[in-house]
């Protein structure tokens, strides 16, 4: 994602593409508190955020390497940001810096399955200390800002979830999609929510 040059005899390379934000973006997250804070997941070029307060001409700063996937900024505190690597390796920062704290991943916190290349996840619309992730099944996370606790709230699926959305008007409602099917629950807070297939016929 960058081009460097080095003069003969020089001890280091010079980045020639600083400030050229030309990577392919998978996903974008926007701060609800400040219009000048944005986070983006870039194909092959990590996850970075834009802050108008960063000094210099280049306002972008990379805060995680690899492929950058879904990314979210906490609507109540813009220092909390979430980014993901492939298959649902979700990381967070609480300081607006490097995304280096695992929030969810296969083999962590009891999660025993992977998701899609770009795994969908959302924060709870009224309590951003809760998160929902679509791996093979839907997982509900609590206490995600410090010591996440995860519970699988669907079972038996082997295909990847491709989209997930938490309802703003009724927080007990959630929608998700997989394999050409569309599902909804109105009982999200039960230990085992009931999801109905509402695919258009």
């Amino acid at each position: 994602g960058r081009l460097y040059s080095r003069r003969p005899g020089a001890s280091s390379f010079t980045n020639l593409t600083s400030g050229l934000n030309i990577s392919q973006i998978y996903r974008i997250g926007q701060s609800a508190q400040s219009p000048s804070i944005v986070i983006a997941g870039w194909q092959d070029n990590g996850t970075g955020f834009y802050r108008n307060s960063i000094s210099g001409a280049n306002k972008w700063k990379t805060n995680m390497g690899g492929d950058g996937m879904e990314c979210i900024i906490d609507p109540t505190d813009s220092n909390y940001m979430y980014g993901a690597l492939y298959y649902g390796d979700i990381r967070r920062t609480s300081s607006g810096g490097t995304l280096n704290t695992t929030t969810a991943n296969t083999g962590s916190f009891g999660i025993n399955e992977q998701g899609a290349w770009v795994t969908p996840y959302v924060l709870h619309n009224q309590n951003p200390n809760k998160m929902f992730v679509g791996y093979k099944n839907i997982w509900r996370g609590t206490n995600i800002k410090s010591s996440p606790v995860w519970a699988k709230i669907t079972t038996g699926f082997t295909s990847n979830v491709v989209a997930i959305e938490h309802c703003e008007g009724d927080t007990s409602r959630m929608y998700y999609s997989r394999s050409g099917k569309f599902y909804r629950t109105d009982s999200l807070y039960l230990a085992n929510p009931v999801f109905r297939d509402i695919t258009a016929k």
Side-chain angles (χ1 to χ4, degrees):
R2 287 168 172 74
L3 179 66
Y4 295 84
S5 70
R6 187 177 74 174
R7 293 182 178 277
S11 60
S12 62
F13 284 86
T14 300
N15 182 359
L16 302 179
T17 48
S18 179
L20 296 179
N21 301 298
I22 53 178
S23 297
Q24 176 180 322
I25 293 176
Y26 274 123
R27 298 289 188 270
I28 296 174
Q30 167 68 49
S31 168
Q33 295 184 316
S34 172
S36 65
I37 302 176
V38 177
I39 187 170
W42 298 313
Q43 182 196 26
D44 292 327
N45 289 283
T47 297
F49 65 78
Y50 174 93
R51 282 183 187 267
N52 200 38
S53 60
I54 297 175
S55 62
N58 185 8
K59 305 292 186 179
W60 285 93
K61 180 179 178 181
T62 301
N63 52 8
M64 184 169 66
D67 283 274
M69 305 299 184
E70 183 65 78
C71 43
I72 299 172
I73 299 174
D74 185 316
T76 64
D77 185 347
S78 295
N79 285 316
Y80 278 89
M81 298 182 183
Y82 300 86
L85 295 166
Y86 22 79
Y87 307 123
D89 181 355
I90 303 169
R91 314 274 182 90
R92 75 177 181 275
T93 177
S94 60
S95 62
T98 304
L99 292 158
N100 57 7
T101 303
T102 299
T103 297
N105 192 18
T106 304
S108 298
F109 312 111
I111 299 170
N112 59 4
E113 57 191 28
Q114 288 185 333
W117 178 252
V118 181
T119 296
Y121 63 95
V122 294
L123 289 176
H124 188 285
N125 279 315
Q126 293 182 5
N127 182 354
N129 204 23
K130 295 180 181 179
M131 179 182 282
F132 303 95
V133 179
Y135 290 106
K136 296 289 186 291
N137 289 280
I138 302 296
W139 290 73
R140 178 176 55 208
T142 57
N143 204 35
I144 64 163
K145 289 185 176 184
S146 54
S147 300
V149 177
W150 288 95
K152 189 185 331 187
I153 59 174
T154 65
T155 58
F157 291 100
T158 57
S159 62
N160 291 323
V161 174
V162 296
I164 186 171
E165 189 61 51
H166 187 215
C167 180
E168 292 187 23
D170 180 353
T171 61
S172 62
R173 180 176 295 178
M174 170 173 282
Y175 299 89
Y176 79 91
S177 177
R178 72 165 75 249
S179 304
K181 298 281 189 177
F182 194 45
Y183 298 89
R184 166 183 154 184
T185 184
D186 295 322
S187 56
L188 188 57
Y189 301 116
L190 294 180
N192 297 294
V194 176
F195 284 87
R196 294 186 294 116
D197 183 347
I198 59 169
T199 307
K201 303 300 182 187

